[in-house]
Amino acid sequence: MTVFSKPILDSLRRRKVSGKPLLILIATVLLLRSRLLALPKETLKSISRVTNYKRRLSPRELNDVLQQVYEKEEDGSKTLLVSYRDRISRFNIKETPSSKFASDAPFFPPLSTSAKAKPNIDAAFLRQFRAIIFRVAFPSLWTKETLIVALHSFFLVLRTVLSVVVAKLDGRLARDLVSANGKGFLKGLGLWFLLAIPSTLTNSLIRHLQSKLSLNLRTRLTRYIHDLYLSSAPELRFYRSGLEGVDQYLTADIEAWSESLSVLYGNILKPSLDLVLFTSQLSRSLGLRGTILLFVNYYATVAILRAVTPAFGRLAAVEAKLEGEYRTGMGRVGREAEEIAFYDGGARERDILTRAYLRLMKHVNSIYKIRIAYEWTEDYVIKYLWSAAGYGLIAVPLLFTRTKRSLGVQTDGSRTIGPDNAIAGRTESYVSNRRLLLSLADAGGRLMYAYKDLLELAGLTTRLYTLLSSLHDLPPLPRHAVKATDDILLTHVDVAVPHQNISEPTPDDGDGSRPSGSRASLPLVKNLSLALKDGDHLMITGSNGVGKTAIARVLAGLWAPQGDGADVRLPADGEDGRKAVFVVPQRAYMVTGSLLDQIIYPHSYPEYLESGKTEKDLMEILEMVFLAYLPEREGGWMTRKEWRDVLSGGEKQRVRIHVCTLLQTLLLTAIRSNKMAMARVFYHRPRFAVLDECTSAVSSDVEGRMYEHAKALGITLITVSLRPSLMKYHTHLLTLSGDGSAGWTLAQVGTAEERMGIDREISCLESKLADVEKWEERIKELDVQLSTQELV
């Protein structure tokens, strides 16, 4: 190839290019491409060595990259490190600023119930589509997506132009063949092969750019919605959204919308260009009558197909919703497997999932049935009616227009080409027009198909817009006032379960439902006022369901304080990064990552390095929670596993009785999870730690040692618990009444009132101990009776 490329290139440089610049330009690009591919392999390898991200990494280096996750940049952005095929790729990620969300919120008002139920191509759809496109997908003209669209449009136009050239060349080949012009036929055949190169290349690039556009749209939407959904305090939209099947929204719906839009763009722009260019080309040979009949054919086709087109938008939206319900059910079984196993509810869950799946399949089958009649009508109109109309249009200039041109008799200046070439001329006209009409029928068919795709896009747009509008519509929680003092101050606070802003309810969790809104129900705790300083260890107790966890949610900022004059003031985080308040929930959460990540959560590995702590410090923490054996047993700090199973005692233990195995597994589940939660407290060393039943499965002696160590670290404890044995580690006791009055009492541990309560408990225990002898005698009598029965 290099031997033949030099004289051709030299000849192109010596003479001025004229006549066919497009073909010569494409040929030149292809020749240059071949020269570039012929570079020595050693040169390519040296370039690969210079580029760091192309270098293959060792397993240890890859493990370090997985642990590090990202690098901080000077401008505040983060560069994600992604490993792929033993190499590292870097992607710079800039967080979407809150000002962007604030400016976008007015463009996403909530949808009405009718708009959600019946998505269609109307003004509401255009408003939703415009908001998503111009506020999220294409926030400005100078984006990578805009460049891809421009390139995609260029190649779509180029393919249309090439289609017209191919149609003309096809007619020319037929003319030369009929007229037995061998030289002209061979020349046309050479041009045919030469024209095939840019045509096939254009088709490949169109498919590539279409896929690239879909991927980029999905990436931009995913990043925007992730930043919006996984927002930090005070928004916490992931906690308060209340959307059912949110994983379906964030994954399948975004992917389907991006794919649908990228495909639809090509299926609308290319056929529209084909209709304009092919119609203009045909009008020259068909004449006025043929052109009018052509437009009549367009109108009749649109009228017929529009009359038989079902509501594909609504059907697509319902299918996505049912798919999300089925996906949510599968996730619920995996998430609540232990609770389901306790109740032996496998059969019941199977029935629920089967019913959800059958609902989905019934809806999908109904769509297939609806499509039978529609696709039959569509194929009949597009393939056969258009083909018959095409033959009729070709016959118009030949059968009804008696001109020299229609008979194939053409004039060239003063010399007239006689009727001998009439057959060849009519053949050329017929083949060219037929080719254009077939392409025109194909373009019309794709436009009709695009209408169906547009209806499906309307349904997906409604789903995506519902997600965005629901997230934007959530008002932020009021931030607690931060003072320069070291106190936690609650004044006249009513602790109540907040209502949701959206109509979709969520299940109750603990003391109430999770999402927070503007209205509240009856208070669980009324007019709560207290002040805590460093060293004022508070224990919150009371019967189940009285609002103990609700107070922790108010302190964490998850629930807004209710009541007239309610005020919550918290100390600020320290300049050294030490958190003021750290809440440990009842259910321990194990993050995806290494063993080290379980301890430092929610810190990342770079933040851990910045803190100055070492693995020795982490080992001391594990020793205090009696988990020092984990790093050695699991293979080191950087070992990545499904820690929810490992730390829950998921490994099988050989025990004689299977019931004992289950009980030991469940006990290890709670114990190790509780200990890891306390390890996080020791790592972060907050000034105030809210412990919500996080040591309920730990033995009293181990629990006491952990509490003493926390106090030695200078951590002020706020414990939610029913264990009286924990009272001695606290200085204040907040008791919530369970009589429905929402009352509460605050007492200082060690006061006369608290001693009276302890004395009453001691006297009650002594009265029970007095009956021990009677119980022992009764046990002996029962043993004698049982032994007698065995002998019999």
Side-chain angles (χ1 to χ4, degrees):
M1 180 61 71
T2 57
V3 175
F4 293 104
S5 62
K6 290 182 179 179
I8 294 175
L9 292 175
D10 293 337
S11 63
L12 290 175
R13 293 190 187 98
R14 285 196 299 267
R15 64 181 181 179
K16 183 178 180 181
V17 178
S18 61
K20 299 178 180 179
L22 179 61
L23 298 179
I24 295 176
L25 177 61
I26 294 174
T28 303
V29 172
L30 292 175
L31 290 173
L32 289 176
R33 179 174 177 269
S34 64
R35 292 291 300 272
L36 291 174
L37 292 177
L39 286 173
K41 293 184 178 180
E42 292 77 9
T43 306
L44 294 177
K45 288 182 179 180
S46 63
I47 295 175
S48 179
R49 281 197 229 58
V50 173
T51 309
N52 290 330
Y53 67 88
K54 292 294 184 183
R55 182 175 62 88
R56 289 186 178 274
L57 302 180
S58 64
R60 180 177 178 82
E61 290 174 327
L62 287 173
N63 195 28
D64 293 340
V65 169
L66 289 175
Q67 183 63 51
Q68 187 169 354
V69 181
Y70 67 86
E71 295 175 347
K72 283 188 175 181
E73 303 296 340
E74 296 180 356
D75 58 355
S77 62
K78 297 179 180 179
T79 299
L80 294 182
L81 305 177
V82 181
S83 60
Y84 179 69
R85 293 182 179 178
D86 299 336
R87 294 182 175 90
I88 295 300
S89 298
R90 290 174 168 81
F91 300 93
N92 186 259
I93 302 297
K94 293 184 179 179
E95 185 178 355
T96 306
S98 56
S99 59
K100 169 66 175 173
F101 295 141
S103 62
D104 289 348
F107 294 90
F108 293 93
L111 287 178
S112 62
T113 305
S114 60
K116 291 181 181 180
K118 296 181 179 180
N120 203 349
I121 303 175
D122 49 16
F125 162 69
L126 294 178
R127 178 175 58 83
Q128 300 166 26
F129 185 74
R130 184 172 62 249
I132 297 174
I133 285 293
F134 295 110
R135 305 304 302 184
V136 183
F138 295 89
S140 66
L141 290 177
W142 310 108
T143 60
K144 187 176 181 180
E145 292 76 16
T146 305
L147 177 61
I148 294 176
V149 170
L151 289 174
H152 194 201
S153 304
F154 169 76
F155 283 105
L156 288 173
V157 174
L158 179 61
R159 188 170 70 174
T160 301
V161 173
L162 290 174
S163 299
V164 175
V165 176
V166 168
K168 291 183 177 181
L169 184 58
D170 199 8
R172 179 180 172 180
L173 286 171
R175 183 199 65 187
D176 293 335
L177 188 61
V178 171
S179 61
N181 185 0
K183 184 178 180 181
F185 177 77
L186 291 176
K187 183 178 179 181
L189 194 61
L191 290 175
W192 177 273
F193 283 110
L194 187 62
L195 194 60
I197 297 175
S199 298
T200 54
L201 180 61
T202 300
N203 291 333
S204 300
L205 288 175
I206 286 175
R207 288 191 293 267
H208 170 72
L209 291 172
Q210 178 178 302
S211 302
K212 194 72 174 177
L213 178 61
S214 174
L215 185 60
N216 279 50
L217 287 175
R218 183 184 180 185
T219 301
R220 185 172 289 275
L221 282 169
T222 300
R223 289 181 183 177
Y224 181 91
I225 295 177
H226 278 186
D227 291 342
L228 181 64
Y229 179 68
L230 299 172
S231 55
S232 302
E235 285 81 10
L236 297 175
R237 296 183 180 91
F238 64 92
Y239 176 80
R240 303 184 297 125
S241 67
L243 288 170
E244 291 185 358
V246 68
D247 54 341
Q248 176 76 13
Y249 284 101
L250 295 176
T251 54
D253 287 350
I254 294 178
E255 179 186 8
W257 186 88
S258 303
E259 181 68 22
S260 177
L261 180 60
S262 61
V263 171
L264 190 62
Y265 176 75
N267 288 345
I268 289 180
L269 180 61
K270 174 63 169 58
S272 300
L273 290 172
D274 289 350
L275 285 175
V276 174
L277 293 179
F278 294 161
T279 301
S280 64
Q281 290 291 325
L282 285 171
S283 63
R284 299 176 182 177
S285 57
L286 296 179
L288 180 61
R289 292 179 183 177
T291 304
I292 293 176
L293 291 176
L294 187 62
F295 280 100
V296 170
N297 183 42
Y298 292 162
Y299 178 79
T301 303
V302 172
I304 294 173
L305 293 182
R306 187 169 185 178
V308 300
T309 300
F312 285 113
R314 181 175 59 83
L315 295 174
V318 174
E319 181 182 358
K321 181 180 179 181
L322 294 177
E323 187 76 35
E325 292 177 358
Y326 179 65
R327 181 196 292 261
T328 302
M330 293 297 297
R332 183 185 65 253
V333 173
R335 186 174 58 253
E336 310 293 342
E338 183 178 290
E339 288 78 2
I340 296 173
F342 271 129
Y343 290 107
D344 192 18
R348 173 61 175 157
E349 294 298 326
R350 181 192 60 204
D351 294 340
I352 294 174
L353 289 176
T354 302
R355 184 175 59 182
Y357 178 77
L358 290 178
R359 288 179 61 194
L360 173 62
M361 290 300 100
K362 184 178 180 180
H363 179 74
V364 172
N365 286 327
S366 67
I367 295 177
Y368 291 158
K369 292 178 182 179
I370 292 172
R371 283 181 173 175
I372 292 176
Y374 172 76
E375 291 178 354
W376 175 83
T377 306
E378 188 179 44
D379 288 345
Y380 182 83
V381 171
I382 298 302
K383 292 183 179 179
Y384 297 97
L385 183 60
W386 274 55
S387 297
Y391 285 114
L393 292 173
I394 293 174
V396 167
L398 298 176
L399 300 179
F400 299 100
T401 306
R402 300 298 182 180
T403 62
K404 292 183 178 179
R405 182 175 180 180
S406 67
L407 294 173
V409 182
Q410 302 177 357
T411 60
D412 185 9
S414 60
R415 184 173 61 88
T416 302
I417 300 176
D420 294 338
N421 294 325
I423 296 177
R426 282 198 297 268
T427 302
E428 178 183 5
S429 177
Y430 168 76
V431 172
S432 297
N433 290 343
R434 186 176 183 276
R435 181 91 180 205
L436 289 174
L437 279 170
L438 289 177
S439 300
L440 194 63
D442 180 67
R446 280 185 284 130
L447 273 182
M448 296 302 105
Y449 290 134
Y451 179 70
K452 178 188 66 176
D453 296 338
L454 190 60
L455 287 173
E456 294 181 356
L457 178 66
L460 294 171
T461 300
T462 300
R463 292 270 303 174
L464 191 57
Y465 184 89
T466 299
L467 171 64
L468 289 167
S469 61
S470 299
L471 296 178
H472 277 295
D473 189 50
L474 288 174
L477 286 169
R479 276 194 178 275
H480 296 154
V482 177
K483 3 181 261 182
T485 60
D486 300 333
D487 302 346
I488 290 180
L489 182 63
L490 280 72
T491 307
H492 305 299
V493 174
D494 290 348
V495 180
V497 178
H499 281 284
Q500 305 173 60
N501 287 330
I502 57 179
S503 59
E504 298 177 359
T506 55
D508 185 38
D509 181 17
D511 293 324
S513 61
R514 288 172 49 181
S516 176
S518 57
R519 296 178 293 113
S521 58
L522 294 176
L524 299 170
V525 183
K526 192 173 183 180
N527 199 25
L528 177 62
S529 298
L530 59 88
L532 296 177
K533 299 180 181 180
D534 285 338
D536 291 346
H537 306 286
L538 175 67
M539 179 175 174
I540 304 174
T541 188
S543 58
N544 292 329
V546 296
K548 302 185 300 296
T549 301
I551 297 177
R553 290 170 180 161
V554 171
L555 291 174
L558 305 185
W559 286 8
Q562 309 292 335
D564 298 334
D567 186 25
V568 177
R569 296 181 179 272
L570 301 178
D573 294 341
E575 296 181 357
D576 56 351
R578 185 183 183 187
K579 296 183 67 68
V581 179
F582 190 81
V583 182
V584 181
Q586 296 181 19
R587 294 167 55 184
Y589 170 69
M590 298 301 156
V591 66
T592 301
S594 63
L595 176 60
L596 184 144
D597 292 325
Q598 309 311 311
I599 302 176
I600 67 176
Y601 186 81
H603 276 183
S604 61
Y605 187 71
E607 290 174 325
Y608 158 73
L609 297 178
E610 292 177 0
S611 67
K613 292 185 173 63
T614 61
E615 293 181 1
K616 181 180 179 181
D617 299 327
L618 300 182
M619 180 58 72
E620 293 177 356
I621 292 174
L622 290 184
E623 289 175 355
M624 291 308 305
V625 296
F626 303 93
L627 293 176
Y629 58 87
L630 280 179
E632 181 179 358
R633 191 192 72 177
E634 302 300 335
W637 293 101
M638 302 304 174
T639 303
R640 305 176 70 86
K641 293 184 178 181
E642 186 59 45
W643 296 105
R644 183 175 181 270
D645 298 332
V646 174
L647 295 180
S648 66
E651 65 273 14
K652 297 180 180 179
Q653 301 178 359
R654 294 184 179 180
V655 186
R656 293 181 180 178
I657 305 177
H658 295 289
V659 175
C660 294
T661 302
L662 176 60
L663 292 176
Q664 287 188 1
T665 300
L666 297 176
L667 182 60
L668 288 171
T669 298
I671 292 176
R672 290 176 179 169
S673 299
N674 291 163
K675 289 180 178 180
M676 187 58 68
M678 290 301 296
R680 291 174 182 169
V681 174
F682 297 158
Y683 169 81
H684 291 283
R685 297 183 61 180
R687 293 176 51 201
F688 293 89
V690 182
L691 310 179
D692 186 6
E693 296 279 2
C694 69
T695 58
S696 57
V698 181
S699 61
S700 299
D701 56 337
V702 174
E703 183 181 46
R705 293 182 61 179
M706 290 193 295
Y707 269 76
E708 291 292 350
H709 183 67
K711 294 170 69 175
L713 293 176
I715 301 173
T716 301
L717 303 174
I718 302 176
T719 304
V720 176
S721 179
L722 293 173
R723 282 191 174 186
S725 60
L726 292 179
M727 193 182 302
K728 58 186 176 181
Y729 303 108
H730 300 81
T731 59
H732 293 76
L733 178 65
L734 177 63
T735 305
L736 306 182
S737 61
D739 55 1
S741 62
W744 55 275
T745 57
L746 180 62
Q748 188 172 355
V749 178
T751 59
E753 181 181 358
E754 190 267 337
R755 285 195 299 270
M756 289 178 62
I758 295 177
D759 292 339
R760 285 195 296 269
E761 185 177 358
I762 292 175
S763 62
C764 180
L765 292 174
E766 289 177 348
S767 63
K768 293 180 180 180
L769 289 174
D771 298 331
V772 170
E773 295 181 357
K774 297 180 182 179
W775 296 342
E776 291 178 348
E777 292 177 358
R778 179 58 181 164
I779 290 174
K780 292 178 181 179
E781 294 175 358
L782 292 174
D783 289 339
V784 172
Q785 293 178 4
L786 292 173
S787 60
T788 303
Q789 293 177 0
E790 291 178 356
L791 291 175
V792 174

